[in-house]
Amino acid sequence: KTVCKVVDSNVNSQINYTQAVDILNAGEVVAFPTETVYGLGAVATNDLAVKKIFEAKGRPSDNPLIVHVGTKEEVEIYIEHISEVAKQCMDLFWPGPLTLVMPAKPNVLAKSVTAGLSTVGIRMPDHPVALALLQQLKKPLAAPSANRSGKPSPTEAVHVLDDLGGYIPYILDGGSTGIGFESTVLDVTHEPPVILRPGGITKEMLEAKIGPVIQPNKVEQKLDTTPKAPGMKYTHYAPNAPVYLIDCQLEKVREAVKQLQHEGHAVALLAPANFENSEADFYFSIGEMGSKQEMGAALYNALRACDKTTATIILATTTSTEGVGAAIMNRLEKASGGKWYSSK
Ligand code: TXA
Ligand code: MG
């Protein structure tokens, strides 16, 4: 087992960045915060190092990684052709939670980063710790979310430690991530561009700047036997107990809780702040009613918290798919496997 060191990115920080850079340059992996979720990084040009990410996460090797850069300028080193739309997106939304899928230059990045695809997803994260690390390393970092494959992505260093403590040597602790769910993945090799994974940069935000964007709906994604973002075909973000979705209505939730308890269940409820009197055995607030931002920031933490309870079933209230609601509902659909609570 690997001994894992967790260091504060704010206190005595320079020595910690130097250590992180040394570990990465030695071909090892380091977890670090971004504005979305914690990432597990390895130098993206070192194939042996990148393979350690897949090992630590238990990640299927056909699921490509996102490459993180510290500057916009270096993208041309890794990309065959940067389209006009891609340039616009970089100018308007970087640093930020937008991953751009572009044609990779052959033999520059490590083979396992792209999992055999001819394209690569790149983003410049909007987080002081991630940016400081990248800028001191002066190399790109391949980094998926720093969770064991299938678990909710980590929004705090302790989540990374819980999942990967025995597998990785170093975690830079930058506190809670702000957004709380993963970046938008936008395939700009298509015209119009296609949202492969909804995230913090919404369809609405993109369309206001670059014109029409395709956001495939669930049905299309299910019919598509070879999903475009390979990661989207795997079970994701799932706690141990089964998750059921339910409309965000207090009376409905109260009845469901009562019914499930009657059936012998211990019920965990993920719902807005005003649901605390719903009599659930375990209750996790996902922020003020109607605030998608608070819901997004709290969701993964709440899903993980369920694993620390004796709940046998989890009810999660839903939101509309407007704005970041599309990303939140996408993650909830995955966590629940699309199951909705019904009293029958
Ligand atoms: O916010 C984020 O994006 C976080 C932080 C750490 O940056 N990273 C993250 O990485 O969520 P990961 O590996 O958990 O998710 C990457 C997603 C997967 O669904 C993967 O299949 C897709 O992006 N992806 C990566 N490269 C791709 C490519 N070339 N073509 C299509 N999809 C790609
Ligand atoms: Mg992930």
Side-chain angles (χ1 to χ4, degrees), residues 57 59 144-147 151 153 182 197 236-237:
K57 281 187 57 106
R59 182 179 177 106
S145 49
N147 50 284
K151 285 282 151 196
S153 296
E182 308 82 350
R197 179 178 71 184
H236 261 96
Y237 323 124

Side-chain angles (χ1 to χ4, degrees), residues 3 248 256 272 328:
V3 177
C248 194
I328 293 169

Side-chain angles (χ1 to χ4, degrees), residues 252-285:
K252 258 195 191 177
V253 169
R254 276 219 175 106
E255 261 168 50
V257 168
K258 210 189 277 171
Q259 176 63 28
L260 288 167
Q261 285 170 338
H262 180 73
E263 290 168 17
H265 277 294
V267 183
L269 174 68
L270 273 56
N274 56 315
F275 281 61
E276 64 189 325
N277 298 324
S278 61
E279 314 279 325
D281 299 274
F282 307 96
Y283 160 74
F284 300 100
S285 169

Side-chain angles (χ1 to χ4, degrees), residues 24 68 179 203:
L24 288 166
H68 296 67
I179 295 173
K203 180 176 196 268

Side-chain angles (χ1 to χ4, degrees), residues 123-134:
R123 82 178 190 101
M124 181 177 177
D126 187 16
H127 192 287
V129 176
L131 288 174
L133 181 63
L134 286 162

Side-chain angles (χ1 to χ4, degrees), residues 246-330:
I246 189 164
D247 288 330
C248 194
Q249 291 166 17
L250 192 52
E251 268 323 297
K252 258 195 191 177
V253 169
R254 276 219 175 106
E255 261 168 50
V257 168
K258 210 189 277 171
Q259 176 63 28
L260 288 167
Q261 285 170 338
H262 180 73
E263 290 168 17
H265 277 294
V267 183
L269 174 68
L270 273 56
N274 56 315
F275 281 61
E276 64 189 325
N277 298 324
S278 61
E279 314 279 325
D281 299 274
F282 307 96
Y283 160 74
F284 300 100
S285 169
I286 47 173
E288 283 307 310
M289 179 93 170
S291 168
K292 291 195 171 104
Q293 202 188 325
E294 288 183 20
M295 187 174 179
L299 186 62
Y300 284 157
N301 197 5
L303 283 170
R304 275 181 178 268
C306 291
D307 280 349
K308 308 249 171 187
T309 72
T310 53
T312 57
I313 195 164
I314 300 165
L315 288 177
T317 59
T318 57
T319 184
S320 81
T321 54
E322 248 165 73
V324 292
I328 293 169
M329 282 309 295
N330 170 271

